[in-house]
Amino acid sequence: MSEESNPVSRLAIGIDLGTTHCVLAVLQPSDEDQPATPEVFAIPQLVRPGVLEASPQLPSFLYLPHETELPESDRQLPWGDPAGALSGRIARHLGNQTPGRLVSSAKSWLGHAGIDCKQAFLPLEHPEDVSAVSPYEATVAYLSHLREAWNHSHPDQPLETQDVVVTVPASFDPAARDLTSEAARQTGLQNLSLLEEPQAAFYSWINACGDQWREQVSVGDRVLVIDVGGGTTDLSLIAVEEAEGNLHLRRIAVGNHILLGGDNMDLALAYRINQKLADEGKTLQPWQ
């Protein structure tokens, strides 16, 4: 039986498609006597022009360089042609110098009601010579980088043939979920499931506790999971119930989409510091 037709032989891949960072972890098949432990994949990426390193996180930034800005040798990745749009740490680095060419927080736009997420409008207020991209295209770019990086390191276990779980905010509406699924499938990920991020955190807590989790909750309890991410704060309420004599967990509520996360907090602090410096007679440049 081939690996593709035998689901037991496939790997379990988890992708945290974050607003500020993406992470890929893998779970190897194992038997009950030797429980498997997930391993975080070190993602090869450019960190400076021409400098390649592997990191457990791929920053969710996309840099759109001018056609004459960087030679091909400085944009070369090990798995293909020189990159046009640059993702990861190099994007964040170059974007600090030229913010008008930097796409960030694309995931937040996917959950923004009333926005056509396939319309190319990022970066916001970009210069005329920048070919803008859509939030959807940015999402495809991050997933494509993860797929190419994984396949280059694991040519005998391509990501397209594995079982892949992609996390999404619990507050994502059906349209945002569909866009995430469509972006993943455009990169070739067909064996795909979506998992709400607070539920993923709760499953991790249960796994860490083992059977002891049942001793920490009782029927009638409510467990509030608070996930403060890079771009959103996600709330999920889980009820502890009884079913046929056993404890049963049921998600009963989620918070509305709250665009309050790490990058928003950073921005609020930046404005506060800017005002404090202004009161002292000091002026920062807009990019700062």
Side-chain angles (χ1 to χ4, degrees):
M1 182 177 292
S2 67
E3 180 174 291
E4 289 80 358
S5 61
N6 182 5
V8 177
S9 67
R10 289 207 296 257
L11 305 175
I13 304 289
I15 295 177
D16 181 3
L17 188 62
T19 307
T20 52
H21 290 91
C22 298
V23 176
L24 188 152
V26 57
L27 195 66
Q28 301 279 353
S30 67
D31 53 45
E32 294 182 357
D33 295 332
Q34 294 181 336
T37 301
E39 299 177 0
V40 175
F41 173 58
I43 306 165
Q45 57 194 285
L46 291 169
V47 295
R48 295 288 188 278
V51 180
L52 187 75
E53 292 182 8
S55 172
Q57 296 178 327
L58 177 73
S60 303
F61 295 87
L62 195 67
Y63 185 76
L64 310 173
H66 188 274
E67 59 182 5
T68 62
E69 185 174 351
L70 296 170
E72 288 190 356
S73 58
D74 285 349
R75 296 182 281 112
Q76 183 65 54
L77 291 166
W79 48 78
D81 295 332
L86 302 169
S87 57
R89 290 172 60 185
I90 188 173
R92 184 173 59 189
H93 169 69
L94 295 176
N96 286 334
Q97 305 169 37
T98 315
R101 293 183 172 275
L102 180 66
V103 176
S104 62
S105 299
K107 178 180 172 181
S108 294
W109 290 103
L110 294 180
H112 197 298
I115 297 294
D116 181 0
C117 291
K118 289 190 175 181
Q119 180 181 350
F121 59 85
L122 297 177
L124 293 175
E125 301 179 1
H126 57 272
E128 292 184 358
D129 65 336
V130 173
S131 298
V133 299
S134 67
Y136 174 82
E137 290 172 320
T139 302
V140 171
Y142 305 143
L143 288 170
S144 296
H145 187 117
L146 293 175
R147 183 203 64 200
E148 296 290 355
W150 171 270
N151 289 354
H152 178 74
S153 301
H154 303 80
D156 297 330
Q157 297 173 307
L159 201 62
E160 299 91 318
T161 65
Q162 312 307 324
D163 293 316
V164 179
V165 175
V166 176
T167 58
V168 294
S171 51
F172 257 16
D173 61 17
R177 294 169 189 256
D178 289 345
L179 283 169
T180 304
S181 295
E182 184 181 348
R185 290 191 169 91
Q186 183 171 330
T187 63
L189 308 182
Q190 300 299 323
N191 306 313
L192 178 71
S193 300
L194 298 183
L195 176 63
E196 295 177 1
E197 291 159 3
Q199 283 187 271
F202 193 67
Y203 292 157
S204 178
W205 174 76
I206 290 176
N207 182 66
C209 292
D211 292 336
Q212 301 301 315
W213 73 268
R214 294 179 174 83
E215 299 178 7
Q216 301 190 44
V217 295
S218 303
V219 174
D221 284 351
R222 299 288 187 268
V223 181
L224 178 62
V225 183
I226 304 174
D227 175 12
V228 181
T232 58
T233 293
D234 238 359
L235 308 175
S236 288
L237 191 63
I238 299 171
V240 182
E241 302 173 341
E242 184 177 356
E244 299 180 354
N246 296 315
L247 288 181
H248 175 71
L249 301 170
R250 182 170 64 92
R251 194 205 68 188
I252 58 176
V254 298
N256 292 329
H257 191 74
I258 304 173
L259 291 177
L260 175 63
D263 54 356
N264 306 84
M265 296 176 185
D266 290 345
L267 192 60
L269 288 170
Y271 276 113
R272 174 63 176 166
I273 293 171
N274 182 53
Q275 184 59 53
K276 183 177 180 180
L277 291 175
D279 293 342
E280 298 174 357
K282 302 174 182 178
T283 302
L284 295 178
Q285 297 297 320
W287 70 268
Q288 292 174 301

